[in-house]
Amino acid sequence: MSLLEIKDLHVTYGSGASAVPAVRGVGLTVDAGSKLGIAGESGCGKSTLALALLRLLPASARLSGEILLDGEDVLTMKWGRLRAVRWAGASIVFQGAMHSLNAVHRIGEQIAEPLLVHGRGTPGAARRRAGELLEQVGLPAARAEAYPHELSGGQRQRVMIAMALACEPRLIVADEPTTALDVMIQAQILRLIEQLVASDDISLLMISHDLAVLADTCDRLAVMYAGRVVEEGPAREVYDAAAHPYGRALSAAFPRIGDATSRRAPRGLPGDPPDPSALPGGCAFHPRCPVALDSCAEDDQELRGAGTDRRAACVHVGAAVEA
């Protein structure tokens, strides 16, 4: 059963001649208890998509399409209903915990706040629950008295996860949850998220630029480029054998243990993703694509079948093409 359905979602900043399309016709599904990863370089629309799920975008953003959470369209919810859904129905773990936590309030107060806002117990009960949540994410309950600056980066990220779990949501959106953490702490945080999602039967939508992380953490993987999903399928299959040349380039950018060739000569892509305000014609990826045809500059590509339970938006899908 689908917990989250995103249908033809468009997000545009500004209007008229200055309009900037950040998300262009995205359609994705997250089943109850499943884990979906979204990958792509900076500027591909991943974080805009995450913020759109709970209408956390600035007033300059214009949205169309549908975001169905348990069958209810988030985009048409009245303010009172939306307020009830945030934290309790779905919650977000933002990147950069130091910027997301309030520097002048203790950790325990900040974890307890969503519980009190949603009427889940007395202040005393909320404080006790905050201590339980800290222990659940591997921190002593006594750390509830600490201020954010007194914690390490990994500890602050654990606090953000505790806050996200406070009201027992059915969906957690993790937007680059391990950004700026060293590899050991990153591994600990990812294991923690996996364990909590599995033990509490929570659905997860995780955003990262790192395909390897998503392949190890998620069931399915969607690759975004220039505001669109260009490939989607089982996470390990997309990582090991992407059907879209952009997915192959992202995967090849990370050296693989035991693979001497990738370790000595990791590959990447020249250039940068296009400016959303000046997208190229045809397939947006064609200026950087190593296998582009002349027609790619004119003809945009829609997602089409690329194998069992897989889709990709490339003219070469179905043909044996080596990058």
Side-chain angles (χ1 to χ4, degrees):
M1 178 181 177
S2 297
L3 174 64
L4 174 69
E5 288 185 83
I6 305 170
K7 297 183 178 182
D8 194 28
L9 180 65
H10 292 258
V11 180
T12 302
Y13 294 106
S15 60
S18 62
V20 177
V23 174
R24 305 184 296 139
V26 167
L28 291 169
T29 298
V30 180
D31 292 332
S34 69
K35 297 171 288 184
L36 172 67
I38 299 179
E41 297 167 282
S42 296
C44 288
K46 307 184 305 297
S47 292
T48 291
L49 176 63
L51 295 174
L53 297 181
L54 287 175
R55 280 169 46 191
L56 295 172
L57 293 168
S60 60
R62 294 184 294 113
L63 292 83
S64 65
E66 293 180 291
I67 301 173
L68 303 178
L69 183 62
D70 258 342
E72 286 188 84
D73 190 352
V74 173
L75 300 186
T76 60
M77 285 180 182
K78 295 190 180 299
W79 170 244
R81 178 56 183 156
L82 181 61
R83 186 171 180 267
V85 165
R86 290 174 177 170
W87 294 106
S91 59
I92 294 185
V93 178
F94 295 101
Q95 57 178 306
M98 192 61 186
H99 302 295
S100 302
L101 295 170
N102 192 320
V104 299
H105 287 285
R106 299 180 190 274
I107 294 302
E109 297 171 10
Q110 298 185 60
I111 298 174
E113 183 179 6
L115 291 166
L116 296 174
V117 167
H118 286 272
R120 301 201 174 194
T122 63
R127 286 194 297 272
R128 288 191 294 273
R129 176 62 176 153
E132 294 171 359
L133 287 163
L134 285 173
E135 292 181 343
Q136 190 175 356
V137 299
L139 292 174
R143 298 302 278 165
E145 296 301 310
Y147 289 96
H149 72 272
E150 297 177 300
L151 304 179
S152 69
Q155 289 174 327
R156 288 194 292 267
Q157 203 63 47
R158 289 172 184 265
V159 171
M160 290 298 299
I161 295 170
M163 292 176 65
L165 293 169
C167 293
E168 301 177 325
R170 295 189 61 199
L171 172 69
I172 288 181
V173 179
D175 184 7
E176 299 273 12
T178 57
T179 294
L181 300 180
D182 65 63
V183 292
M184 295 299 294
I185 300 301
Q186 179 187 66
Q188 293 174 12
I189 295 298
L190 292 173
R191 282 199 301 271
L192 173 63
I193 291 174
E194 285 187 89
Q195 292 165 2
L196 293 173
V197 167
S199 63
D200 295 351
D201 195 29
I202 297 170
S203 298
L204 174 69
L205 192 151
M206 179 179 286
I207 292 171
S208 178
H209 63 277
D210 191 331
L211 251 69
V213 164
L214 295 177
D216 288 338
T217 306
C218 299
D219 307 315
R220 295 186 63 78
L221 178 59
V223 179
M224 287 188 69
Y225 188 81
R228 284 188 172 177
V229 173
V230 296
E231 182 164 3
E232 182 195 5
R236 180 51 62 177
E237 292 182 25
V238 173
Y239 177 61
D240 289 338
H244 195 283
Y246 180 61
R248 291 199 294 271
L250 286 182
S251 180
F254 296 92
R256 305 192 185 204
I257 296 174
D259 184 346
T261 301
S262 71
R263 186 179 71 250
R264 293 169 184 163
R267 292 175 290 166
L269 269 176
D272 298 300
D275 183 341
S277 64
L279 294 172
C283 172
F285 183 59
H286 85 265
R288 305 172 72 194
C289 182
V291 292
L293 304 178
D294 290 342
S295 62
C296 296
E298 303 293 334
D299 302 328
D300 203 354
Q301 300 297 319
E302 300 294 332
L303 288 168
R304 61 178 72 111
T308 304
D309 203 23
R310 295 182 63 177
R311 302 183 298 161
C314 179
V315 69
H316 293 297
V317 167
V321 175
E322 292 294 331

